[in-house]
Amino acid sequence: MKNTIITIVFCSLFQMVTAQTYVPTLKNNTALHYVCKLHGQTRTLTLTTKITTDKLVLDLDTKGVKSNIVIASEGLKNGNALSFNQGETSEVIVLPPTETFFMISKSAYQDLVKNKKFVYNNTTYVLDEKTDSNPVEIDGKTVDALHVVAQIDETEMWIVKNQDYPLICKMTKNPLGINFTLVKIEDN
């Protein structure tokens, strides 16, 4: 009887803990709300998704700047560099097939899961397997994310455990002075 009670208590606790984490997904018209620290300034930024078979378009809206950032299917699959474009150069920005925006590619994500590291922008990021003391939370739920640290500098990223769209939900200590945190997700 004692073992049965302990088992029930353990299962209940496990269910409560796992129920509090979640993996954000992208659909058409999903709005991703970020708070960005850009060279000492704080800005809000919204990315609204438009998903097609051959590309992902992120409608960027921040402080009067509106642009469409186009990520080609090749970039989503095999990209190896982040674009830090701030949307100020054009209304439509088509990224090169090697670049992604606010996410890593599927192949980089697979490398991270399989080898516990990946290379992006010629920088190796290594999985930090220690218990995360600074998780990303949205609506009171902890985002199920992988925490990585750059080997060349102190850049840290938290990448959503989503093999289809591995969003970067948080970036800190970026030497470019561009840091951000995902604070809200809306499916419209």
Side-chain angles (χ1 to χ4, degrees), residues 42 68 83 91 102 116 121 127-128 131 152 170 177 184:
T42 300
N68 294 322
S83 170
E91 286 184 24
F102 278 79
K116 301 184 182 190
N121 296 85
L127 181 64
D128 180 3
T131 303
I152 195 169
K170 184 175 183 178
K184 185 177 181 181

Side-chain angles (χ1 to χ4, degrees), residues 35-90:
V35 171
C36 301
K37 305 283 185 177
L38 304 168
H39 312 291
Q41 297 178 1
T42 300
R43 290 186 183 180
T44 59
L45 176 137
T46 301
L47 300 171
T48 304
T49 60
K50 292 180 185 173
I51 301 170
T52 67
T53 55
D54 63 337
K55 65 186 172 234
L56 170 64
V57 178
L58 298 171
D59 290 340
L60 178 146
D61 187 358
T62 182
K63 202 170 183 175
V65 175
K66 294 185 182 208
S67 292
N68 294 322
I69 310 291
V70 180
I71 307 171
S73 63
E74 182 60 27
L76 292 170
K77 289 178 194 169
N78 298 311
N80 60 13
L82 274 177
S83 170
F84 287 99
N85 193 307
Q86 296 176 30
E88 297 173 346
T89 58
S90 178

Side-chain angles (χ1 to χ4, degrees), residues 90-110:
S90 178
E91 286 184 24
V92 177
I93 299 165
V94 179
L95 299 180
T98 56
E99 291 185 357
T100 57
F101 192 72
F102 278 79
M103 67 181 63
I104 63 173
S105 66
K106 292 177 185 181
S107 64
Y109 181 80
Q110 290 168 354

